[in-house]
């Protein structure tokens, strides 16, 4: 039995069909959809699903999903018929005769995928290959296959445990990445969460409980943050289309914690709020309003409008601190067109645009074609698998141990990152590496596909130098911890109340840190720039305040936090800029400020009639204004720059 429903009878399912039929628009071939439903029902009449329900409930559910993604009549028919050839006496020829060549070819594609997936040898690779090859001919096959898999995952609970785990692993390894690659994010998230639940039930339960017990609890929390944002928009009389909260999926939260050794408290995007607006320039104006009213995390700002992801995804992401829920929230800003693409991926094109209109579409599925071409020339499964996996994960490398286990690392990772990724002990005792058979030092950067062996020394230990070239957080944290433990015992800290009465933190409240102190190496003058270096862990977490100019603070590998003196000057500096259009200019500008630890009080921008952008930036006086001005003038896209002082009334 499915978790939420009782077993449906054929009458219940017929009612479901009528409901589905009712929402289909007249431009679809509704008559044929009804005939096809009756045909498939009859064909499957002797079969039940593992849930005990008449089999037709499954093709109907898949057809409903396919329709909601915006696919066409042909796809709905193919979804209704997708298991007929495989599970009944009816042949592919008969389908083609009755429903046409196009429907027949899609059903053939889907039948083949299933045929290979059932074959025990080389199961995964073959299934993957068939999915891709079939769908490169007609991408509707791929979308229907993903809906088919999603419905099977939703009803997986009734299967034998070993079967559940096998199917869940296959889903995680093959289908979720495909959903991501073509931009079907909501399907990807659900596939991941469902797989996670069966692959690692204990951890799934743990994350679920940690992340605010129930979904409704999370939604309530989110709604508070949504209201807070809406208020800011209303005050600015900013018109928007929608403001919607979305709790992040469990699996991505788990992955963040696992990959970066983070705690729940360190994850910035447990919550996300999506705002859709009317135009691209509205996206940037809105970003200005948000940054003006909320404290933002500068390194979390991503401009995917100027720099879209390979699958075409566009949005601005920024993370702010919501006082209403006392927690960081990721804000995604996009236009409605961008939203449609993000939600429905390539399927959006069937709904909103004809294919001929959109040249970008060709680019988006070009990767599939490349894979096809490649496949013609090479027949080796392992190579094929490697190639596919590299292509799926743009920023990640796939490396291999001598035993052919796969290790996934970010681009630019080194031999030492690899060693720590295999095992902490191997990392700590690492001496040299062997990459594709050739000896090398630990700082060598790796490339996707490298086979890496680590040569260890029983008495080896981490060195301070290692911190200069490791890339992954895991390695950095492990090295730092080992070094720290060896060097100093428990730190002896005194809290300097006098100093902190005149300090104000930009991002977090001081109470997040139990201990804080002045660095002995620095002299402090009121209003001179200072920076906090975060040290210690858990209860011993502390902030050490340094002058920005102090070498100890400059070269620390610890996390730094911007600090301000409590009494602000009553003046603001206003930069008025005119900018020529250039991809990524917002990022360049914001990076300039971030790199100097200068916080921007507000940004406003609008597109001028001639296509240039006018932008106003304000910051507190005394924040390296001369340096910032010089650097801004060096940017080739800055047409003009005026500086004004503004009196600021508290
Ligand atoms: Mn099926």
């Amino acid at each position: 039995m499915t978790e939420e429903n009782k077993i449906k009878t054929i009458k219940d399912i017929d009612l479901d069909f009528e409901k589905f039929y009712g929402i289909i628009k007249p431009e679809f071939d509704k008559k044929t959809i009804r005939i096809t439903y009756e045909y498939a029902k009859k064909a499957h009449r002797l079969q039940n699903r593992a849930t005990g329900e008449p089999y037709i409930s499954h093709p109907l559910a898949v057809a409903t999903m396919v329709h909601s993604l915006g696919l066409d009549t042909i796809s709905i028919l193919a979804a209704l018929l997708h298991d007929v050839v495989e599970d009944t006496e009816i042949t592919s020829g008969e389908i083609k005769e009755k429903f046409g060549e196009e429907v027949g070819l899609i059903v053939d594609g889907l039948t083949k995928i299933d045929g290979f997936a059932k074959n025990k040898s080389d199961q995964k690779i073959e299934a993957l290959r068939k999915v891709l090859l079939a769908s490169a001919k007609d991408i509707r096959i791929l979308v229907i296959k993903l809906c088919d898999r999603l419905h099977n995952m939703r009803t997986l609970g009734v299967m034998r445990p070993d079967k559940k785990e096998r199917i869940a692993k296959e889903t995680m390894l093959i289908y979720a990445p495909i959903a991501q690659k073509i931009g079907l994010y909501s399907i990807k998230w659900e596939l991941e969460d469902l797989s996670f639940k069966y692959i690692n039930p204990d951890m799934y339960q743990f994350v679920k409980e940690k992340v605010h017990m129930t979904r409704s609890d999370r939604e309530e929390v989110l709604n508070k943050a949504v209201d807070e944002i809406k208020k800011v928009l209303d005050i600015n009389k900013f018109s928007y289309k929608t403001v919607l909260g979305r709790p992040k999926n469990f699996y991505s939260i788990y992955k963040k914690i696992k990959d970066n050794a983070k705690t729940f408290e360190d994850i910035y995007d447990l919550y996300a709020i999506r705002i859709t607006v009317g135009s691209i320039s509205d996206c940037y104006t809105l970003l200005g309003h948000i940054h003006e009213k909320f404290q933002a995390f500068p390194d979390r700002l991503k401009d995917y409008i100027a720099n879209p992801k390979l699958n075409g995804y566009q949005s601005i992401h920024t993370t702010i601190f919501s006082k209403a829920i006392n927690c960081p929230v990721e804000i995604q800003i996009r236009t409605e067109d961008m939203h449609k693409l993000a939600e429905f991926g390539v399927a959006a094109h069937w709904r909103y645009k004809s294919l001929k209109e959109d040249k970008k579409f060709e680019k988006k599925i070009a990767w599939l074609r490349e894979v096809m071409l490649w496949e013609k020339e090479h027949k080796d499964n392992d190579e094929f698998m490697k190639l596919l996996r590299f292509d799926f994960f743009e920023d990640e490398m796939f490396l291999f141990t001598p035993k052919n286990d796969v290790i996934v690392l970010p681009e630019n990772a080194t031999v030492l990152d690899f060693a720590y990724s295999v095992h902490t002990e191997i990392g700590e005792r690492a001496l040299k590496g062997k990459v594709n058979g050739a000896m090398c030092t630990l700082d060598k950067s790796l490339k996707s596909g490298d086979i890496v062996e680590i040569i260890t020394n029983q008495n080896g230990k981490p060195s301070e130098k290692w911190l200069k070239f490791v890339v992954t957080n895991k390695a950095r944290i492990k090295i730092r911890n080992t070094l720290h433990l060896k060097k100093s015992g428990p730190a002896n800290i005194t809290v300097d109340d006098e100093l902190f009465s005149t300090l104000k933190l930009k991002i977090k409240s001081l109470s997040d840190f139990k201990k804080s102190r002045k660095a002995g190496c620095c002299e402090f003058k009121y209003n001179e720039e200072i920076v906090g270096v975060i040290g210690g862990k858990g209860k011993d977490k502390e902030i050490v305040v340094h002058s920005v100019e102090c070498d100890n603070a400059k070269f620390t590998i610890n996390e730094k936090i911007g600090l301000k003196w409590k009494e602000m000057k009553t003046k603001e500096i206003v930069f008025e800029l005119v900018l020529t259009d250039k991809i990524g200019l917002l990022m360049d500008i914001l990076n300039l400020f971030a790199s100097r630890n200068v916080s921007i009080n507000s940004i406003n921008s609008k597109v001028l009639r001639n296509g240039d952008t006018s932008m106003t930036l304000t910051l507190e006086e005394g924040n390296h204004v001369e340096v910032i001005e010089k650097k801004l003038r060096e940017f080739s896209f800055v047409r003009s720059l005026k500086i004004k002082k503004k009196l600021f009334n508290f």
Side-chain angles (χ1 to χ4, degrees):
M1 211 189 305
T2 52
E3 278 160 16
E4 64 276 28
N5 298 323
K6 63 175 179 58
I7 296 175
K8 283 181 177 167
T9 65
I10 198 80
K11 270 190 187 157
D12 297 328
I13 298 165
D14 279 341
L15 280 176
D16 285 348
F17 175 75
E18 294 306 332
K19 235 192 264 165
F20 168 54
Y21 194 76
I23 58 165
I24 301 174
K25 294 218 173 97
E27 54 264 35
F28 285 80
D29 183 354
K30 293 182 74 168
K31 216 170 132 191
T32 309
I33 291 173
R34 182 181 289 283
I35 292 167
T36 309
Y37 170 71
E38 292 300 336
Y39 179 92
K41 188 167 89 178
K42 199 174 155 207
H44 287 298
R45 70 191 177 281
L46 299 175
Q47 274 177 284
N48 282 331
R49 299 207 81 213
T51 57
E53 288 178 354
Y55 195 85
I56 188 65
S57 63
H58 166 66
L60 176 59
V62 177
T64 309
M65 284 186 222
V66 163
H67 174 253
S68 73
L69 286 174
L71 267 61
D72 58 359
T73 299
I74 299 281
S75 310
I76 295 172
L77 304 185
L80 286 168
L81 296 166
H82 81 269
D83 281 330
V84 164
V85 175
E86 200 193 334
D87 295 343
T88 76
E89 298 296 302
I90 292 165
T91 63
S92 151
E94 198 178 329
I95 297 287
K96 281 179 191 152
E97 203 177 294
K98 282 211 158 65
F99 300 95
E101 189 76 13
E102 221 180 332
V103 174
L105 285 174
I106 296 178
V107 173
D108 277 355
L110 291 159
T111 309
K112 275 187 203 139
I113 295 167
D114 287 347
F116 276 100
K118 272 183 188 162
N119 198 338
K120 285 227 169 79
S121 60
D122 277 346
Q123 207 173 48
K124 282 171 190 166
I125 294 163
E126 284 297 346
L128 177 58
R129 174 191 294 213
K130 286 297 156 188
V131 168
L132 291 164
L133 293 186
S135 57
K137 286 181 203 134
D138 188 332
I139 206 161
R140 289 174 295 186
I141 296 172
L142 190 52
V143 179
I144 298 169
K145 183 65 213 172
L146 289 169
C147 293
D148 177 36
R149 176 53 63 123
L150 180 56
H151 185 247
N152 286 334
M153 288 300 296
R154 283 182 186 167
T155 51
L156 196 61
V158 295
M159 297 282 183
R160 285 204 320 266
D162 57 324
K163 216 174 168 189
K164 276 187 216 176
E165 204 189 321
R166 181 183 64 74
I167 294 173
K169 277 185 178 160
E170 190 186 76
T171 302
M172 190 69 103
L173 184 73
I174 297 168
Y175 293 98
I178 291 175
Q180 165 164 6
K181 190 71 195 185
I182 61 173
L184 287 167
Y185 288 104
S186 53
I187 290 187
K188 178 209 164 211
W189 287 320
E190 196 178 342
L191 287 174
E192 278 181 352
D193 272 2
L194 288 165
S195 306
F196 180 34
K197 184 171 152 186
Y198 295 109
I199 294 170
N200 200 341
D202 295 343
M203 194 50 81
Y204 175 83
Q205 220 35 55
F206 173 76
V207 174
K208 200 174 158 185
E209 275 163 29
K210 252 331 237 196
V211 176
H212 280 307
M213 287 60 73
T214 63
R215 205 175 171 84
S216 63
D217 280 351
R218 302 190 67 201
E219 271 158 16
E220 202 177 297
V221 171
L222 250 173
N223 285 339
K224 277 189 205 159
V226 167
D227 289 344
E228 191 186 19
I229 301 263
K230 278 186 176 164
K231 244 183 238 161
V232 169
L233 300 184
D234 291 341
I235 288 168
N236 283 293
K237 299 203 172 68
F238 182 86
S239 76
Y240 53 88
K241 306 273 178 187
T242 55
V243 180
L244 267 178
R246 182 174 65 72
K248 284 268 172 149
N249 77 326
F250 295 142
Y251 181 67
S252 61
I253 291 165
Y254 163 70
K255 231 174 84 183
K256 278 207 173 131
I257 294 168
K258 188 172 149 267
D259 295 352
N260 303 328
K262 283 180 172 168
T263 64
F264 279 92
E265 290 68 29
D266 291 333
I267 294 183
Y268 292 136
D269 45 8
L270 286 175
Y271 296 105
I273 290 176
R274 178 183 306 134
I275 309 174
T276 52
V277 299
S279 69
I280 292 177
S281 67
D282 280 354
C283 292
Y284 291 101
T285 310
L286 174 57
L287 181 68
H289 290 319
I290 299 266
H291 280 200
E292 190 176 14
K293 280 289 177 286
F294 294 94
Q295 291 173 328
F297 298 72
D299 58 334
R300 304 259 323 154
L301 179 69
K302 304 240 165 65
D303 183 358
Y304 294 121
I305 292 180
N307 297 306
K309 290 190 184 177
L310 283 186
N311 61 22
Y313 177 85
Q314 287 189 299
S315 278
I316 296 175
H317 291 190
T318 185
T319 301
I320 54 115
F321 191 84
S322 163
K323 283 188 185 145
I325 64 172
N326 199 29
C327 184
V329 174
E330 184 182 271
I331 311 264
Q332 303 167 352
I333 303 169
R334 54 175 77 152
T335 65
E336 285 188 309
D337 278 349
M338 293 171 193
H339 178 62
K340 280 164 196 163
L341 183 74
E343 284 295 290
F344 301 117
V346 289
H349 293 268
W350 275 277
R351 188 188 266 180
Y352 303 104
K353 278 183 186 145
S354 85
L355 294 188
K356 278 175 200 156
E357 270 174 46
D358 189 359
K359 283 177 195 153
K360 274 190 201 157
F361 178 79
E362 278 301 315
K363 271 191 199 156
K364 280 166 207 154
I365 60 166
W367 66 279
L368 277 172
R369 301 245 156 81
E370 273 165 37
V371 167
M372 271 192 81
L373 282 177
W374 196 89
E375 201 267 348
K376 274 184 195 153
E377 292 159 25
H378 305 264
K379 292 286 171 204
D380 184 37
N381 269 343
D382 285 352
E383 283 300 312
F384 184 75
M385 182 72 179
K386 281 184 207 169
L387 178 99
L388 283 181
R389 305 240 8 211
F390 305 152
D391 195 34
F392 275 137
F393 301 90
E394 294 144 22
D395 314 324
E396 295 177 333
M397 299 194 288
F398 285 75
L399 306 155
F400 298 86
T401 67
K403 283 182 186 162
N404 250 335
D405 288 328
V406 179
I407 301 284
V408 185
L409 287 173
E411 269 180 312
N412 304 322
T414 61
V415 170
L416 187 58
D417 289 300
F418 183 93
Y420 271 96
S421 175
V422 173
H423 199 281
T424 305
E425 239 175 66
I426 295 184
E428 295 195 324
R429 309 231 158 102
L431 184 66
K432 275 183 222 165
K434 221 188 216 179
V435 175
N436 304 323
M439 285 292 202
C440 64
T441 50
L442 295 172
D443 59 353
K444 186 186 164 62
S445 291
L446 297 168
K447 286 194 308 290
S448 234
D450 282 345
I451 299 166
V452 187
E453 199 178 329
I454 303 296
I455 295 157
T456 55
N457 170 358
Q458 269 314 310
N459 305 316
K461 49 191 154 193
S463 124
E464 192 106 34
K465 281 183 222 146
W466 288 5
L467 290 166
K468 288 187 182 146
F469 61 80
V470 289
V471 169
T472 53
N473 284 329
K474 180 182 174 178
R476 179 166 295 127
I477 289 165
K478 297 275 181 194
I479 296 166
R480 218 191 283 157
N481 285 350
T482 320
L483 291 173
H484 182 75
L485 287 178
K486 277 183 193 142
K487 263 192 183 166
S488 54
N492 183 14
I493 295 155
T494 51
V495 178
D496 188 334
D497 284 324
E498 192 195 25
L499 175 67
F500 283 100
S501 65
T502 56
L503 282 175
K504 184 184 159 194
L505 275 174
K506 265 197 295 186
I507 299 173
K508 294 179 187 174
S509 83
L510 252 184
S511 59
D512 287 353
F513 299 90
K514 297 273 182 298
K515 291 164 187 167
S516 45
R517 65 189 161 104
K518 254 195 288 194
C521 47
C522 302
E523 300 238 81
F524 293 95
K525 262 193 221 151
Y526 179 65
N527 259 346
E528 256 184 10
E529 275 199 87
I530 46 174
V531 65
V533 175
I534 298 173
K537 273 171 80 180
K539 276 187 202 157
D540 293 326
K541 209 166 170 182
E542 57 158 351
I543 297 181
V544 183
V545 182
H546 290 263
S547 150
V548 166
E549 300 305 321
C550 169
D551 279 355
N552 293 338
K554 267 187 203 160
F555 300 119
T556 180
I557 42 105
N558 284 344
E559 197 188 336
K560 283 191 260 190
I561 191 165
L563 295 174
K564 279 180 186 168
W565 297 91
K566 204 169 194 174
E567 301 288 320
M568 294 295 194
K569 283 201 169 183
T570 52
K571 275 177 192 164
E572 267 190 342
I573 301 294
V574 183
F575 288 90
E576 288 180 356
L577 297 153
V578 177
L579 310 161
T580 44
D581 196 28
K582 186 214 153 224
I583 287 178
L585 64 82
L586 181 67
M587 291 296 288
D588 287 348
I589 290 177
L590 293 171
N591 280 336
L592 166 63
F593 286 87
S595 69
R596 264 150 234 278
N597 244 332
V598 173
S599 83
I600 300 170
N601 286 353
S602 74
I603 302 183
N604 277 296
S605 74
K606 66 169 183 254
V607 177
L608 303 173
R609 253 187 233 152
N610 66 359
D612 287 349
T613 305
S614 97
M615 184 181 282
T616 316
L617 290 157
T618 61
L619 46 130
E620 313 292 343
E621 191 176 61
N623 265 322
H624 288 316
V625 170
E626 285 92 330
V627 184
I628 297 273
E629 182 194 345
K630 188 169 162 267
K631 290 279 169 193
L632 279 171
R633 289 193 192 279
E634 281 170 12
F635 284 133
S636 60
F637 54 78
V638 174
R639 282 226 169 145
S640 72
L641 167 60
K642 275 185 215 156
I643 300 179
K644 289 179 181 168
K645 284 190 181 183
K646 189 168 132 189
L647 278 175
F648 201 75
N649 300 318
F650 284 100

